[in-house]
Amino acid sequence: MLAFSKQTKFERTAVLWACTLVYVYFIYNFFSGFSPFSGQHSVLASSEQGSFVNKISTALMFCGCVPLLIAYRRRAWDLTQFSLPLLVVVSWFTVSVIWSQHPDLTLRRIIAYWMYLVIAIAAISTIMTPQKIVATIALVFATVIVSDFLALALFPAAATQLEGVRGIHFHKNDAGTVAMVSTFALGGASFATRSRPPKAALFVLSIASICFLVMSHSKTTLGFTLVLILVIPAIYVLLLKSRAVLVTIIALIVGCGAALFSVLVLFDVNMEQILTFVFGDPTLTRRTDLWRHLMYSIYERPLLGSGWGAFWGTGEAVNPIHAPPKTWFLDAAMINTAHNGYLDVVLQTGLVGLVLTLALIFRCLWNYVWLLQAKQISPAERRSVLVFFAVAIAILLNSTMESRIFGVGDPIARLFDLIYLSGECWRQQIRVRGREQEVARRFGRSAGSEALIPAGTPER
């Protein structure tokens, strides 16, 4: 069952410990790169050997999840089996050690990734209920957004760039992404909760997230956020209707897209004109220049890639991009991602990795569509599921302009993993609940039918 009618003291303690582990993990990763006494984050200082503090903290959190794995080993094993798509993707990343440009970096980073997955599986298998997991993540982003404003007030030099504010984050684009995700995590949690004081507090914090997003001057992310604020409620209402309505809407969207494409081809409208019309900048803040040069690196290893975690942040001052000397994106202190999550997946794990990633994304979204339409789920659970569904869409959409999918040491990337694992867990639990209700219904109907047949009635 997704919700327990009565929990023992041990179960309540275990759930509290699991929520604490999730909270500490994300808070540590959000705060680990901020230095209030420096005007910039250190990118190259510990890239080669890794941070000793990071290793110790990850090991301690891993050890903290071991008691949960032992206590709920059956649940953890079941969730591991259900989460095969994610395990296949991460296994492919692990195998890339063989052909990686920096096998030591890939190995070290993939070990940390596997440790996080164990922590996440242990926590989700213990917490189980959507309300508590969503509440934990909402608390994480409430802490982060409050800390962003405190950093601006107390350490303005460290929390501000010429382009915009960044708070406790590495760059104003990172700040924009976190503010976008925070808007849906906190706003969704406000929608999901029924208690008025927490609802009001969460709503205020979601508005603060939008304000911080505006202050970061992340124009594209702000545009995505405004669009999703309008689209997500519409999707939710459509999902509650029927799958036939959803399929019809998808067919209309595809049809309109095909018609729009035909019109663009007919009138000879090129991509530069489209980007200028939509974003006001055909280069997308010089991203297209970076993407064009990264394609040369992709052509060298199109199927396998350079190795997961082996292209960016290697400790070198110059990025391994084929470009003339002194090109702006060769500076590793300035550029440490492809600014497109899907392009980064191809760059580091090849076309094979991209196919596996897209399959995982489809599976994740389908799980949440299924959950939102499930009859056995309660209204409170459905609202909590909607929060993670909205956050997942926000992360996936933002990944077209920032590298958020399967990023190295990125808490937003790890949040998507948590969302996927939660969806698998909740779907299987709802299935179990449906089977139990079906069995109860059949036996109840059978018992009622027998009571209506008088004793001694001959069989026919």
Side-chain angles (χ1 to χ4, degrees):
M1 299 290 288
L2 278 176
F4 299 104
S5 58
K6 186 177 180 180
Q7 287 184 319
T8 64
K9 183 178 180 180
F10 172 80
E11 289 172 333
R12 291 193 297 269
T13 303
V15 169
L16 179 60
W17 177 243
C19 292
T20 303
L21 271 180
V22 172
Y23 178 81
V24 170
Y25 179 88
F26 282 99
I27 288 297
Y28 175 79
N29 278 274
F30 275 120
F31 281 80
S32 59
F34 178 68
S35 175
F37 305 107
S38 172
Q40 61 180 3
H41 293 62
S42 177
V43 180
L44 303 176
S46 61
S47 297
E48 187 173 357
Q49 299 298 330
S51 170
F52 177 76
V53 176
N54 287 345
K55 294 177 182 178
I56 295 299
S57 60
T58 303
L60 289 176
M61 285 184 277
F62 180 81
C63 293
C65 80
V66 172
L68 301 178
L69 287 174
I70 296 174
Y72 298 100
R73 54 190 177 276
R74 178 63 182 271
R75 291 184 190 172
W77 174 244
D78 289 343
L79 179 56
T80 302
Q81 291 179 303
F82 298 144
S83 305
L84 186 61
L86 177 59
L87 300 183
V88 170
V89 171
V90 182
S91 296
W92 176 253
F93 295 172
T94 306
V95 174
S96 71
V97 172
I98 299 174
W99 58 83
S100 173
Q101 295 178 164
H102 297 275
D104 55 328
L105 285 179
T106 299
L107 180 61
R108 173 164 57 83
R109 290 168 174 174
I110 203 66
I111 289 174
Y113 198 168
W114 279 110
M115 293 176 71
Y116 164 73
L117 289 181
V118 174
I119 294 171
I121 289 174
I124 294 170
S125 302
T126 303
I127 302 171
M128 300 291 280
T129 59
Q131 296 94 316
K132 291 181 180 179
I133 298 180
V134 169
T136 302
I137 296 301
L139 182 60
V140 169
F141 282 99
T143 305
V144 170
I145 201 66
V146 170
S147 300
D148 281 327
F149 281 102
L150 286 176
L152 286 174
L154 300 177
F155 312 104
T160 307
Q161 291 178 310
L162 294 176
E163 301 90 345
V165 302
R166 67 181 180 186
I168 63 173
H169 312 287
F170 169 69
H171 191 269
K172 66 106 175 176
N173 289 337
D174 298 314
T177 298
V178 173
M180 177 186 188
V181 175
S182 178
T183 298
F184 293 102
L186 296 173
S190 175
F191 170 73
T193 187
R194 286 304 184 189
S195 179
R196 289 187 178 181
K199 177 186 285 290
L202 290 168
F203 180 76
V204 170
L205 288 173
S206 67
I207 298 299
S209 300
I210 297 177
C211 294
F212 187 75
L213 174 55
V214 173
M215 294 167 64
S216 71
H217 295 170
S218 301
K219 297 179 182 179
T220 305
T221 304
L222 177 60
F224 286 159
T225 303
L226 296 178
V227 169
L228 289 182
I229 288 175
L230 299 175
V231 171
I232 293 297
I235 294 177
Y236 179 58
V237 172
L238 291 174
L239 289 176
L240 293 182
K241 296 297 181 180
S242 68
R243 292 190 179 181
V245 174
L246 179 63
V247 171
T248 302
I249 295 299
I250 293 176
L252 289 175
I253 292 175
V254 173
C256 292
L260 178 61
F261 177 77
S262 301
V263 171
L264 294 177
V265 172
L266 180 63
F267 289 95
D268 194 24
V269 179
N270 57 39
M271 182 58 67
E272 182 175 337
Q273 292 172 310
I274 296 173
L275 294 177
T276 303
F277 175 77
V278 177
F279 299 103
D281 178 9
T283 68
L284 299 175
T285 322
R286 298 194 289 178
R287 283 180 174 87
T288 54
D289 187 27
L290 170 63
W291 296 342
R292 184 172 64 254
H293 285 85
L294 285 176
M295 292 305 297
Y296 295 110
S297 299
I298 292 176
Y299 292 151
E300 290 182 346
R301 299 183 176 186
L303 292 179
L304 304 180
S306 62
W308 186 78
F311 194 89
W312 308 103
T314 62
E316 300 292 336
V318 178
N319 288 318
I321 304 174
H322 296 289
K326 297 183 179 181
T327 304
W328 65 274
F329 50 72
L330 292 179
D331 185 1
M334 177 186 297
I335 299 297
N336 58 357
T337 69
H339 286 274
N340 183 301
Y342 309 101
L343 185 64
D344 244 333
V345 168
V346 180
L347 178 66
Q348 300 182 63
T349 64
L351 292 174
V352 176
L354 179 63
V355 171
L356 295 175
T357 297
L358 294 178
L360 173 69
I361 291 172
F362 177 81
R363 171 70 178 181
C364 177
L365 295 179
W366 179 249
N367 281 341
Y368 279 90
V369 169
W370 187 93
L371 284 166
L372 290 171
Q373 293 184 320
K375 296 180 180 179
Q376 297 82 8
I377 196 170
S378 70
E381 291 167 342
R382 181 176 283 109
R383 288 191 294 269
S384 296
V385 168
L386 176 65
V387 177
F388 270 9
F389 179 62
V391 172
I393 292 178
I395 294 174
L396 293 173
L397 182 59
N398 185 258
S399 292
T400 59
M401 295 295 169
E402 301 294 337
S403 296
R404 295 303 170 192
I405 297 295
F406 297 118
V408 176
D410 185 357
I412 297 297
R414 299 294 79 81
L415 175 60
F416 181 79
D417 298 335
L418 183 78
I419 291 173
Y420 167 77
L421 290 170
S422 299
E424 291 287 3
C425 175
W426 300 338
R427 180 172 183 175
Q428 298 307 319
Q429 292 300 315
I430 286 294
R431 281 181 168 177
V432 171
R433 179 186 297 180
R435 288 195 293 266
E436 291 176 349
Q437 292 178 353
E438 180 65 19
V439 169
R441 185 183 64 81
R442 288 183 177 180
F443 275 96
R445 178 178 297 179
S446 176
S449 300
E450 291 175 359
L452 294 176
I453 300 177
T457 301
E459 295 182 357
R460 294 182 180 179

